[in-house]
Amino acid sequence: MQDQDFRNLMAAVCAPVTVVTTADDGGPHGATVSSFASLSLHPPLVSVALDRRSGLLTRIRNVRRFGVNVLGFADDETALLFSRRGEDRFAQVEWSISQRLPRLDGAAGWAVCDLWQVVEGGDHLLLIGLVAHAEATQRSPLVYGHRTFGTHSRFAERPRTPIVDTIAACAG
């Protein structure tokens, strides 16, 4: 199989856009990550994949904690900023410390994770995080698909009743 064939296939799969962060004695650190997924409800686990050469990966493995900032539909510039190397990313955004981790102000969602496990995955390592704290908003999420940023178009049109409310109404 050709590398480009695999890249093209995966480009067609929409992925959430997040900024994964951590902090150490050197200050805040973060990078754009589109490989974020829910893994388990009991216990609450999520996964993110980071390139083996990532400086953020090294820091997370040292401090054993990370934050996940789920970006909203208008945060494409933030996603691009945190995807670039060699810039003082945090000097260009509004952020604060939340539960001892860097949190981007106005993110559509926020999770605080303790590093649960590291799994080998080719040229990446899969970090499994135990979610210690989570917050969400009703803001439309930023997604990445076909090598561009966007959002789920129907979600952006109008707020939806959570599916659990619909199920509960049918059960009654």
Side-chain angles (χ1 to χ4, degrees), residues 26-81:
H29 306 280
T32 300
V33 175
S34 61
S35 59
F36 170 67
S38 168
L39 184 62
S40 168
L41 183 59
H42 299 287
L45 299 173
V46 296
S47 66
V48 296
L50 294 174
D51 189 294
R52 288 177 180 273
R53 300 167 295 172
S54 166
L56 181 62
L57 172 64
T58 302
R59 289 178 169 95
I60 290 172
R61 291 183 85 178
N62 287 337
V63 300
R64 315 260 330 140
R65 298 181 79 236
F66 61 94
V68 180
N69 295 270
V70 178
L71 299 185
F73 73 97
D75 294 333
D76 50 325
E77 290 299 321
T78 301
L80 290 171
L81 172 66

Side-chain angles (χ1 to χ4, degrees), residues 3-172:
D3 286 354
Q4 193 58 48
D5 292 337
F6 182 67
R7 285 187 183 110
N8 291 342
L9 169 68
M10 295 313 298
V13 176
C14 288
V17 183
T18 67
V19 172
V20 174
T21 61
T22 197
D24 59 16
D25 293 339
H29 306 280
T32 300
V33 175
S34 61
S35 59
F36 170 67
S38 168
L39 184 62
S40 168
L41 183 59
H42 299 287
L45 299 173
V46 296
S47 66
V48 296
L50 294 174
D51 189 294
R52 288 177 180 273
R53 300 167 295 172
S54 166
L56 181 62
L57 172 64
T58 302
R59 289 178 169 95
I60 290 172
R61 291 183 85 178
N62 287 337
V63 300
R64 315 260 330 140
R65 298 181 79 236
F66 61 94
V68 180
N69 295 270
V70 178
L71 299 185
F73 73 97
D75 294 333
D76 50 325
E77 290 299 321
T78 301
L80 290 171
L81 172 66
F82 278 85
S83 70
R84 294 191 285 264
R85 298 185 188 273
E87 291 192 39
D88 183 0
R89 301 162 181 164
F90 287 92
Q92 300 178 53
V93 295
E94 298 289 324
W95 66 281
S96 56
I97 293 291
S98 176
Q99 310 225 0
R100 301 184 334 263
L101 289 169
R103 177 180 182 173
L104 302 182
D105 296 346
W110 168 243
V112 174
C113 303
D114 295 316
L115 185 58
W116 173 275
Q117 187 176 10
V118 178
V119 178
E120 299 284 325
D123 58 6
H124 281 59
L125 291 180
L126 188 66
L127 304 182
I128 299 174
L130 175 64
V131 180
H133 177 82
E135 295 178 31
T137 68
Q138 286 296 310
R139 290 183 52 218
S140 298
L142 184 65
V143 297
Y144 187 74
H146 291 287
R147 298 180 179 91
T148 191
F149 293 114
T151 194
H152 184 289
S153 60
R154 294 293 310 238
F155 188 88
E157 288 174 13
R158 65 180 196 267
R160 298 279 184 162
T161 303
I163 191 71
V164 294
D165 293 349
T166 304
I167 293 169
C170 292

